[in-house]
Amino acid sequence: LFQRIHTRDPEMQVILITAFGNVESAVEAMRAGVYHYISKPVNLGELQELLSKAGERHSLLAENRQLRERLDSLEFDEIVGVSN
């Protein structure tokens, strides 16, 4: 499921929640690009904080992409400068 989500939106921050977590699967998920990995039972305060941070990260990645696209579209051919 993560791979399908990542293919559609690479900036999407995925939090994986599982009842059958172990260190190996957590490491594999993180290497694949999952934002965070939580085992049940879920601490709702921790989940709320993670959702907030994931949302901020998603916004920053989107803003970064937009700024790079704008920068790539700028043309500097006509800039003339003098330095003393």
Side-chain angles (χ1 to χ4, degrees):
L1 178 61
F2 168 73
Q3 294 301 333
R4 289 176 61 192
I5 292 170
H6 188 68
T7 300
R8 287 186 179 194
D9 184 357
E11 296 167 359
M12 180 66 63
Q13 303 303 297
V14 175
I15 298 171
L16 191 131
I17 302 173
T18 182
F20 305 104
N22 59 48
V23 174
E24 292 169 1
S25 63
V27 169
E28 182 181 336
M30 299 299 277
R31 284 187 179 154
V34 170
Y35 177 71
H36 203 79
Y37 184 97
I38 302 175
S39 293
K40 290 182 180 180
V42 176
N43 176 315
L44 294 181
E46 178 185 0
L47 181 59
Q48 187 174 14
E49 183 68 25
L50 279 172
L51 290 170
S52 177
K53 288 182 180 182
E56 289 174 16
R57 180 172 165 80
H58 185 268
S59 296
L60 287 171
L61 289 172
E63 181 182 10
N64 186 289
R65 180 184 40 77
Q66 291 169 355
L67 291 171
R68 286 180 187 273
E69 288 171 359
R70 286 178 51 195
L71 185 61
D72 289 343
S73 69
L74 295 176
E75 295 182 20
F76 296 102
D77 298 339
E78 298 179 19
I79 294 178
V80 178
V82 175
S83 177
N84 293 326

